[in-house]
Amino acid sequence: MVRRIDNVGKTVWTFIEGDTHVTSGQTSYSVGFGIAQSGDRLYVGTGVWQKQSNLMKPAVIALDVATGSQVWKKVFDTQPGHGGVRGVIVDGARIICTGYVNNADPGFLFIADAATPAVWELDTSGNLVKENL
C-alpha cells in the first residue's frame, strides 16, 4: 500500500496492489520496500504477490503523484522463488533498482541471506534495459 498524506495529515489517495493466494485462507504477500519521486511520478520498489505462480515477485510500479493512479508496472518474473525490489534510484531517464530473487520465503525480510542479489535498470516507461544477478 502507498498512501499520500497532505500537510495537515489528511489522506489524499491510497494505492493497493497484489493478488490473493490461490488457496483460500492462505496468506499472500505484497510488500513495499522503497519509493522515489521524480517530477510527477512515484516509483515504488516492491514484492508483489502473483496468483498464477503463488510467489512474491520483485516489481516496480510507477504512480501519478497527483492521483495515485498506476501509470505502469514492471514485474521481474523470470527467476524462480520469491523476490523484491528494495531500493529505487532515479537518475534522469534511468531507474536503478536493487533487490533479490530466488528466495525461499516471501514477505518483508530485513535480510534475505539465501536469496540471489539483483540489480535492474529500467527506462522511465518501465522497459527493462539491463538485469544483473
Side-chain angles (χ1 to χ4, degrees):
M1 173 176 54
V2 178
R3 179 169 286 157
R4 180 177 173 195
I5 307 297
D6 66 16
N7 290 337
V8 294
K10 287 183 64 177
T11 298
V12 177
W13 51 257
T14 301
F15 175 82
I16 298 175
E17 178 66 20
D19 283 336
T20 58
H21 198 284
V22 75
T23 305
S24 180
Q26 294 293 316
T27 302
S28 63
Y29 295 88
S30 290
V31 297
F33 291 113
I35 193 166
Q37 181 175 347
S38 180
D40 64 351
R41 294 287 179 263
L42 292 175
Y43 299 101
V44 181
T46 183
V48 176
W49 192 263
Q50 302 293 294
K51 191 172 201 165
Q52 71 275 11
S53 65
N54 263 343
L55 294 169
M56 186 182 86
K57 291 297 185 176
V60 177
I61 303 170
L63 302 177
D64 180 271
V65 171
T67 66
S69 299
Q70 180 176 305
V71 178
W72 54 258
K73 176 172 68 174
K74 177 65 178 175
V75 178
F76 306 106
D77 58 1
T78 60
Q79 301 297 317
H82 300 283
V85 171
R86 296 192 62 109
V88 179
I89 300 169
V90 183
D91 179 23
R94 301 181 327 150
I95 303 168
I96 308 299
C97 308
T98 59
Y100 63 94
V101 295
N102 302 326
N103 201 58
D105 300 314
F108 186 88
L109 305 173
F110 185 70
I111 298 173
D113 283 332
T116 303
V119 178
W120 299 274
E121 179 182 342
L122 303 173
D123 64 21
T124 54
S125 296
N127 299 306
L128 180 63
V129 175
K130 195 183 314 181
E131 177 181 62
N132 290 320
L133 303 177

